Amino acid sequence: MNYHFLFKNISNSTILKFVFTFSSVVLFASCTQVNPGNRGVKVTMGSVSNDILPEGLHFHAPFVTSIENISIKNESKDIEMECYSFENQPIKFSTTVRYRVPPQSVLKIFKEYAGDFYKGIIEPKTKESMMSVVSLIKTEDVIKKRDKIKSDTLKILKEKIGDLVIIDDFIISNDTLPVELEKAVSEKMVQEQKALKAKYIKDEEITKNEIVLLNAKAQAEANRLITSSITSNLIQYEFVKKSDGKLPLVMGSGASTIIDLNLSRNRKE
């Protein structure tokens, strides 16, 4: 084959275009951007570098090295799960877990979970934690103890994951009981509300009666004290204190009756 003839027919402009295109491809392949809210992990022919790359543009050997983006932003995932109560009754929950990866965990997560730590850590650990909590609660108490289920699940989940991933919150948005069970629980709650209302009314009546009784006792005691404190001397003292200095027309009764002589004298005059 006449290679000299082949190359002779290739123009300089074609060669330049080829060189430019190849250079562009090499340049493009040798730089990667680590997006905002991410950290970069450099992988060279299957070997993971221990350096964690910050946000921005980074250059590396083309074709043999790549840079993987690992998010450290706040993430939120919805998880549907079925748990079993203390009586082994199935209860479906709609939940949301909020989490984020600390920068120091990026390499460990990439190496051990190939970057997909949600499927490898968050989801299974969340389900395990909540199932263990719900299994200790009676079916009829699940709705009333939703806040406790949330707080206990969050506590266990944090203990299971440790500092590898930061769990910011765990939310229970809905819980669904079997139809017959839900109806029975609702009816029981209604009866409990009625019982509480009746008890409140009864307690209120008892309180009113106790107040009336206390007032009567207080009044009786006051009357007793007043009666026991009234003496003949006190009566005379009160009489003198209110007197205008004139003898009354009549005072006393029977042999002790006193007649005002001044009034009789004045009439004669």
Side-chain angles (χ1 to χ4, degrees):
M1 186 174 182
N2 192 344
Y3 291 101
H4 177 72
F5 175 79
L6 179 63
F7 282 106
K8 186 176 180 180
N9 286 279
I10 299 175
S11 64
N12 291 334
S13 60
T14 302
I15 295 174
L16 289 174
K17 287 180 181 180
F18 173 78
V19 171
F20 177 78
T21 301
F22 180 76
S23 300
S24 298
V25 171
V26 171
L27 180 63
F28 181 79
S30 63
C31 63
T32 301
Q33 176 178 306
V34 176
N35 298 321
N38 288 260
R39 291 294 182 268
V41 177
K42 186 185 291 186
V43 182
T44 302
M45 299 181 68
S47 177
V48 180
S49 172
N50 290 327
D51 296 328
I52 301 175
L53 304 178
E55 302 169 358
L57 191 64
H58 298 275
F59 291 92
H60 53 82
F63 309 116
V64 295
T65 299
S66 63
I67 296 177
E68 303 295 333
N69 276 262
I70 303 297
S71 174
I72 60 170
K73 295 181 291 186
N74 291 327
E75 302 285 348
S76 180
K77 295 286 187 181
D78 296 329
I79 305 176
E80 301 291 330
M81 67 179 84
E82 185 174 76
C83 303
Y84 289 85
S85 66
F86 182 76
E87 299 89 352
N88 206 33
Q89 291 291 336
I91 306 171
K92 294 182 179 180
F93 290 92
S94 298
T95 66
T96 301
V97 61
R98 294 175 179 169
Y99 61 91
R100 53 194 167 91
V101 176
Q104 63 270 20
S105 296
V106 168
L107 277 177
K108 182 177 179 65
I109 285 175
F110 182 81
K111 289 179 179 180
E112 296 184 6
Y113 300 95
D116 190 9
F117 62 93
Y118 171 74
K119 288 292 184 182
I121 305 175
I122 303 297
E123 185 175 6
K125 296 298 182 184
T126 301
K127 290 182 177 180
E128 287 175 16
S129 302
M130 188 163 184
M131 286 178 181
S132 65
V133 171
V134 176
S135 66
L136 301 176
I137 298 177
K138 292 182 179 180
T139 309
E140 63 187 47
D141 294 332
V142 168
I143 298 175
K144 294 185 290 185
K145 294 185 177 181
R146 181 185 285 186
D147 289 340
K148 176 175 173 56
I149 294 173
K150 170 192 171 178
S151 59
D152 289 355
T153 300
L154 183 60
K155 180 181 178 181
I156 295 174
L157 180 59
K158 288 182 176 181
E159 291 173 353
K160 284 181 175 290
I161 293 181
D163 58 0
L164 184 63
V165 178
I166 298 173
I167 305 297
D168 290 320
D169 201 4
F170 175 73
I171 301 168
I172 301 175
S173 55
N174 190 33
D175 46 53
T176 306
L177 305 175
V179 178
E180 295 95 6
L181 193 58
E182 185 173 7
K183 183 179 178 181
V185 171
S186 298
E187 289 177 353
K188 183 174 181 180
M189 291 179 68
V190 170
Q191 294 301 320
E192 288 176 350
Q193 290 298 320
K194 289 182 178 179
L196 287 174
K197 184 178 180 180
K199 185 178 183 300
Y200 171 78
I201 293 173
K202 182 179 179 182
D203 291 344
E204 188 177 30
E205 289 299 323
I206 292 174
T207 302
K208 288 180 180 178
N209 293 334
E210 287 177 346
I211 292 173
V212 171
L213 183 60
L214 288 173
N215 288 337
K217 287 182 178 179
Q219 186 62 47
E221 180 65 16
N223 292 338
R224 187 188 68 78
L225 291 174
I226 292 172
T227 302
S228 64
S229 65
I230 295 175
T231 63
S232 58
N233 291 333
L234 178 62
I235 294 172
Q236 292 179 11
Y237 169 75
E238 290 294 329
F239 171 75
V240 172
K241 187 170 65 172
K242 296 180 180 179
S243 173
D244 57 0
K246 298 179 180 180
L247 289 172
L249 297 177
V250 178
M251 184 176 68
S253 62
S256 302
T257 302
I258 299 173
I259 301 175
D260 187 353
L261 299 178
N262 291 328
L263 177 60
S264 177
R265 186 182 299 113
N266 290 337
R267 287 180 178 176
K268 288 181 180 180
E269 293 176 354

